[in-house]
């Protein structure tokens, strides 16, 4: 069971916006991979009811009149509808909504203070919310309705229903504050941008809305990742950069591959150069995943990562200019800190076969249709090997794979790209340890659409439940959010 | 030819947002009727090139990958792309775009002063812009893509293309000011609301964006119409109200119907009560049309309406308490002022058979799907007969007619209803003589989304070419618009 828990850990503790830079070389189509959230079972740490609402498959046309049931989780313990106390609405992203509910402790923690209705809406085509059941991913006629605009329109319908639904109680209209992390954060920001009459404000945590063609250099993501490792130990990136060379060197001979398989305790021995490439690919992914999950406390509520896991890893390769088997041995020891924190794992499972689980399919399709986020590395300003970005090739692969025409510029046209001067009431929060901060909004874009920087934060740390090991920056951020929420609510009251 | 010219006049001089309140009684499905603009030939008063751009049938999904050619008219005589001078963009509405180009003189008149590129984009499913050619209206699979959201997304694509298109000239990004009248004005407002990064500001002229369920009382439209007649002559509405009674009275007997047919010089004699109902229906429509076209000068550039045609009509029935045949004779004389201004018409053609022309089909479908605008009259606070609004019945009729599920609340959810506090840079202009001002925005809704009231204005008079008979209010409004446009352009420059 050695090493096997990491995936479970990562699935649960972060929403899994996985960057994978080398897929094309190795026959994988897409540079962005999603590992299924839906295979993990929820914790049920927080209390909620599960409900469903019927929504149209297509909000924007009348050619397809199908409807489906969208799942949402709801807790009204503190809500006072007759006083119009707020609705805290999580804009579900690419996975089973129960996992986001379990990992967005901040919303639950402040719900009582705000007398808020807590709602987590599941994104169409994920979790239980499959518009066409098990045919949802069969062909473009079925999966073609998996778009951000449709998801937002689903949420508008749900909020409209929640506000209007009568159960004998005279209701005052409730301001809605929308929350989201990662792609959910993108949705939260876009929700306020597109539907300011529906949501009073948005907390868009670690939302890389600028990780699109022409907005951010493709190198940025891997440079930020590298910088997170450099912060952990100055020489760490340099040693990682050397690691690829040493692995490549060993990969050339049977003896070398055999050494690597044994020394790294690989569950599947590397038998040829392709295996070695896949091992490196897995390693890159894992380094990025851990950077995203680089939280200040052990993720011990389910998984078994230590606090600041990047630092723990880098401790093993902090000496300058490590080389050869000494370096690889140290890297192996570092990896064990991640994968064998409890000492239960028996070997390192680096198998990266694509899964056919729906969660994966969903994000893979989105990354091929609207959410095309350029990524590359050059091995000079980052700690990875050279990996170029080729939009044409990427698009061609997506066309073949999904029988659709990818739209790399759609998101910019739809949501304004860097021109958010007219937006209002959005908090864009980013942790600087988070690779995805590369595509995040790190400056105020209007008077009330503001950036919050959390220097010691990883991927939407601020949305998680509070922890005594939280750095002051995230504590201050959460206090600030509450203050801004109060302001949004007051403003809403003045106009309703 | 007597009376035949009116339709031509109206088609040309106003965009034809026709209210018709009694259709249901008479077997017509919808309370809003559209008379084809596409049957009239353009004037070619202004100079432009006709071009086409390929756009997707469906911007928001990937299930249908079809594309079609959208027509637009363009004039770059004054544009200086290398300096990024503005783009004046007309958001085409329900008809042939050439007619809107010919009837939006204001844009042409100020283009040189602003060094603006002038663009008129044709709305999908109208004029030449038929996504599926002559199959466009065959069934929901073909006409189901006729929605406001898709039209706006078409315009986004066109603007993106115009801004990016390279012809060897180094371009600076041009601010876009979007113009529109009536439904086009609604689109202009919604364009800025939804795409503030694409359009710097919007002039939404006579845009009844609040003429939807729950936003405005169904009586309002007919009350404003009545008030326009009352302004023309105090007793005019009272005499019109009496007219229906007198017609109903005559309708009971062969003799009465015969008298009416002869006295009113009807092209088609009224033979039974149904005919009489249709005649009244036609009369109501016409009274509303003329109220919309109640301009201060003769619409002599094509059609043959006198200046202030409502007043001209009411002059004939200004005496209090006219009754019987005396009243009907006076009404007939009044009608001749409208329909026989040139003295060429031989009889009054009141036939209101539905046309199958595409323009009509398009708006009829839109009025049945998204653009459901409640209208009613009570014969007490307005000058019409009792005509109730029944949403359920209306929706059922639309379902049967178009095999779709109408969405009476969609527009409110999509564009915010009365909550436009977060909007910016929109001028909502309304003439108080215009029936459609009932559903217009008559107050400032945010710091920069402001209302302009033109007391002596009919339906988007302000968008028309200037005329020496224009009332001061519209002259002042146009000056104000130019000042605001300059401000929008300056703001745009500061952020680009």
């Amino acid at each position: 069971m050695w090493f096997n828990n990491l995936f479970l850990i990562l699935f649960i503790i972060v929403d899994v916006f996985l960057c994978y830079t080398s897929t094309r070389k190795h026959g994988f189509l897409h540079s962005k991979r999603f590992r299924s959230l839906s295979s993990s079972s929820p914790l049920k740490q927080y209390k909620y009811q599960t409900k469903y609402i019927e929504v149209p498959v297509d909000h924007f046309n009348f050619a397809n009149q199908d409807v489906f049931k969208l799942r949402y989780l709801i807790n009204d313990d503190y809500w006072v509808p007759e006083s119009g106390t707020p609705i805290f609405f999580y804009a579900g992203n690419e996975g089973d909504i129960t996992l986001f509910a379990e990992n967005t402790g901040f919303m639950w923690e402040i719900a009582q203070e705000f007398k808020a209705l807590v709602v987590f809406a599941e994104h169409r085509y994920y979790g239980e919310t499959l518009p066409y059941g098990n045919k949802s991913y069969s062909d473009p006629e079925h999966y073609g309705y998996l778009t951000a605009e449709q998801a937002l329109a689903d949420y508008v319908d749900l909020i409209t229903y929640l506000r209007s639904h009568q159960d004998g109680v005279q209701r005052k209209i409730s301001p809605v504050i929308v929350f989201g992390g990662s792609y959910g954060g993108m949705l939260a920001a876009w929700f306020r941008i597109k539907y300011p009459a529906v949501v009073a404000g948005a907390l868009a945590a670690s939302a890389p809305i600028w990780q699109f063609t022409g907005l951010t250099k493709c190198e940025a993501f891997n440079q930020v990742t590298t910088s997170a490792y450099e912060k952990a130990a100055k020489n760490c990136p340099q040693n990682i950069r050397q690691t690829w060379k040493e692995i490549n060197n060993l990969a050339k001979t049977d003896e070398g591959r055999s050494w690597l398989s044994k020394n790294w305790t690989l569950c599947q021995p590397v038998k040829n150069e392709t295996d070695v490439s896949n091992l490196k690919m897995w390693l890159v992914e894992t380094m990025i995943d851990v950077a995203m999950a680089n939280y200040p406390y052990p993720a011990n509520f389910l998984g078994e990562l230590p606090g600041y896991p990047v630092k723990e890893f880098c401790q093993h390769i902090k000496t300058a200019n490590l080389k050869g088997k000494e370096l690889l041995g140290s890297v192996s020891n570092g990896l064990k800190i991640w994968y064998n924190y409890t000492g239960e794992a028996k070997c390192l499972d680096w198998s990266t076969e694509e899964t056919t689980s729906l969660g994966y399919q969903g994000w893979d399709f989105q990354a091929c249709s609207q959410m095309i986020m350029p990524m590359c590395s050059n091995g000079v300003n980052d700690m990875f090997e050279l990996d170029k970005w080729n939009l044409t090739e990427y698009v061609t692969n997506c066309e073949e794979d999904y029988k659709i025409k990818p739209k790399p510029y759609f998101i910019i046209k739809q949501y304004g790209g860097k021109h958010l001067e007219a937006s209002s009431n959005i908090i864009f929060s980013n942790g600087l340890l988070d690779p995805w901060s590369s595509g995040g909004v790190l400056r105020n874009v209007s008077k009330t659409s503001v950036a919050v920087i959390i220097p010691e934060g990883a991927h939407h740390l601020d949305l998680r439940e509070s922890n005594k090991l939280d750095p002051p920056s995230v504590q201050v951020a959460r206090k600030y959010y509450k203050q801004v929420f109060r302001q949004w609510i007051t403003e809403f009251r003045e106009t309703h």
Side-chain angles (χ1 to χ4, degrees), chain A:
Chain A
M1 294 302 291
W2 213 111
F3 283 65
N4 275 347
N5 276 348
L6 179 71
F7 289 101
L8 193 60
I9 296 167
L10 291 177
F11 299 159
I12 301 297
I13 58 177
V14 296
D15 98 286
V16 193
F17 229 24
L18 290 186
C19 164
Y20 178 56
T21 58
S22 303
T23 38
R24 275 165 292 120
K25 284 189 209 155
H26 305 286
F28 293 100
L29 279 174
H30 316 298
S31 75
K32 208 72 51 340
R33 296 190 66 230
F34 177 85
R35 297 182 192 165
S36 173
L37 286 160
S38 44
S39 58
S40 312
S41 56
L43 282 173
K44 302 280 180 203
Q45 186 182 354
Y46 303 108
K47 185 189 139 201
Y48 50 74
Q49 285 184 279
T50 301
K51 295 192 175 182
Y52 301 84
I53 182 174
E54 190 177 278
V55 291
V57 167
D58 189 353
H59 293 269
F60 304 107
N61 303 292
F62 292 85
N64 177 339
Q65 302 277 307
D66 298 337
V67 294
F68 68 97
K69 285 200 186 308
L70 185 126
R71 177 166 65 151
Y72 63 100
L73 316 178
I74 189 164
N75 176 312
D76 63 359
D77 285 354
Y78 309 120
W79 196 38
V80 190
E82 56 272 36
S83 307
T85 60
I87 296 173
F88 285 175
F89 188 93
Y90 187 90
N93 34 321
E94 74 286 18
D96 188 301
I97 192 60
T98 60
L99 291 155
F100 300 119
E102 296 297 333
N103 289 281
T104 310
F106 177 60
M107 274 173 73
W108 296 104
E109 284 181 356
I110 66 168
Q112 185 166 17
E113 185 179 342
F114 282 85
K115 297 189 171 65
L117 180 70
V118 177
V119 180
F120 283 80
E122 189 159 71
H123 194 294
R124 53 167 59 199
Y125 289 85
Y126 293 97
E128 285 185 13
T129 302
L130 300 173
Y132 290 107
N134 59 14
K135 285 186 184 164
S136 297
Y137 286 98
S138 59
D139 52 59
E141 284 68 39
H142 289 95
Y143 56 68
Y145 301 94
L146 170 47
T147 67
E149 296 66 50
Q150 298 285 4
L152 290 177
D154 292 340
Y155 301 159
V156 170
D157 276 8
L158 175 53
I159 288 170
T160 305
Y161 168 76
L162 292 171
R163 279 171 159 175
S164 70
H165 180 57
Q166 296 300 320
D167 45 15
V169 178
Q170 189 68 31
R171 290 187 181 184
K172 213 170 143 186
I173 189 162
S174 288
V176 175
I177 294 173
V178 60
F179 297 73
S182 196
Y183 169 52
M186 296 161 70
L187 290 172
W190 296 338
F191 204 171
R192 171 65 191 174
I193 288 171
K194 288 292 189 191
Y195 296 95
V198 179
V199 299
L203 173 54
S206 300
I209 60 166
W210 289 348
Q211 194 73 45
F212 290 92
T213 304
L215 298 185
T216 294
K217 285 186 180 171
C218 64
E219 295 87 353
F221 182 93
N222 286 314
Q223 287 176 4
V224 176
T225 309
T226 301
S227 135
Y229 281 77
E230 195 171 12
K231 275 176 199 154
K234 194 184 143 225
N235 296 316
C236 194
Q238 160 200 325
N239 285 324
I240 291 171
R241 206 180 287 118
Q242 183 64 25
T243 299
W244 315 120
K245 291 179 188 156
E246 302 297 351
I247 293 177
N248 292 343
N249 204 29
L250 283 181
K252 289 173 191 160
T253 65
D254 283 346
E255 195 201 343
R257 292 190 292 267
S258 177
W259 183 90
L260 194 61
S261 302
K262 195 176 165 196
N263 184 272
W264 279 28
T265 330
L266 302 180
C267 299
Q268 307 85 5
V270 283
K271 292 175 194 153
N272 50 46
E273 296 202 30
T274 305
D275 283 352
V276 174
S277 285
N278 286 337
L279 174 65
K280 287 191 294 179
M281 192 169 77
W282 174 89
L283 196 52
V284 168
E285 279 193 34
T286 304
M287 285 174 172
I288 290 164
D289 292 355
V290 175
M292 286 165 62
N294 193 17
Y295 298 131
Y297 43 85
N300 57 2
F301 73 95
L302 203 222
E304 321 292 344
L305 269 186
Y308 288 124
V310 171
K311 192 170 190 173
E312 290 295 324
F313 171 82
C314 286
Q315 283 304 310
H316 289 264
I317 52 168
K318 67 181 176 184
T319 311
N321 299 316
L322 289 171
K323 300 270 186 214
K325 289 179 179 171
E326 187 192 358
L327 170 59
L328 292 176
S330 304
V331 168
S332 175
N333 288 334
L335 291 175
K336 282 175 191 156
I337 295 286
W338 290 348
Y339 298 106
N340 200 18
Y341 188 49
T342 57
E344 286 174 13
K346 293 276 181 282
C347 60
L348 186 160
D349 181 6
W350 57 274
S351 129
T352 53
E353 259 84 70
E354 292 198 42
T355 161
T356 55
S357 75
L358 297 175
Y360 169 75
Q361 285 183 310
W363 186 254
D364 198 57
F365 171 72
Q366 290 195 265
C368 253
S369 47
Q370 295 184 328
M371 305 296 161
I372 298 172
M373 301 184 180
M375 301 253 168
C376 64
S377 53
N378 64 15
V380 178
N381 299 317
D382 55 63
M383 65 190 193
F384 302 107
E385 292 185 288
L386 178 69
D387 186 24
K388 291 186 179 172
W389 172 255
N390 183 329
L391 180 61
T392 311
E393 190 186 317
Y394 185 94
V395 162
T396 305
N397 287 337
C398 286
E399 275 173 354
E400 283 172 16
D401 210 28
Y402 288 105
K403 315 296 172 207
I404 58 142
K405 286 178 201 147
K407 296 182 177 174
Y409 302 100
F410 180 83
I411 292 293
I412 295 175
K413 287 188 290 182
Q414 194 61 20
Y415 301 106
K418 293 220 167 169
H419 286 288
L420 304 179
E421 300 88 10
S423 74
S424 58
N425 292 8
I426 306 173
I427 299 171
F428 292 101
S429 72
N430 279 282
L432 295 188
L433 298 181
D434 175 20
W436 288 105
S437 65
S438 63
V441 177
L442 304 179
R443 57 176 171 84
N444 297 357
V445 288
S446 79
K447 212 181 280 182
T448 61
S449 289
V450 298
V452 168
I453 308 294
I454 303 166
E456 304 89 349
H459 204 45
H460 50 69
L461 170 64
D462 46 343
L463 287 189
R464 300 179 58 75
E465 64 180 354
S466 56
N467 185 293
K468 61 183 191 306
L469 294 175
D470 279 329
S473 59
V474 77
Q475 295 174 27
V476 169
R478 291 186 186 126
K479 272 185 198 157
Y480 172 72
Y481 300 162
K482 292 201 291 178
Q483 184 186 319
V484 175
F485 295 168
R486 281 195 201 92
Q487 201 172 315
W488 292 344
I489 293 164
T490 303
E491 273 171 28
F492 182 88
R493 290 267 164 272
E494 286 165 3
T495 52
H496 286 78

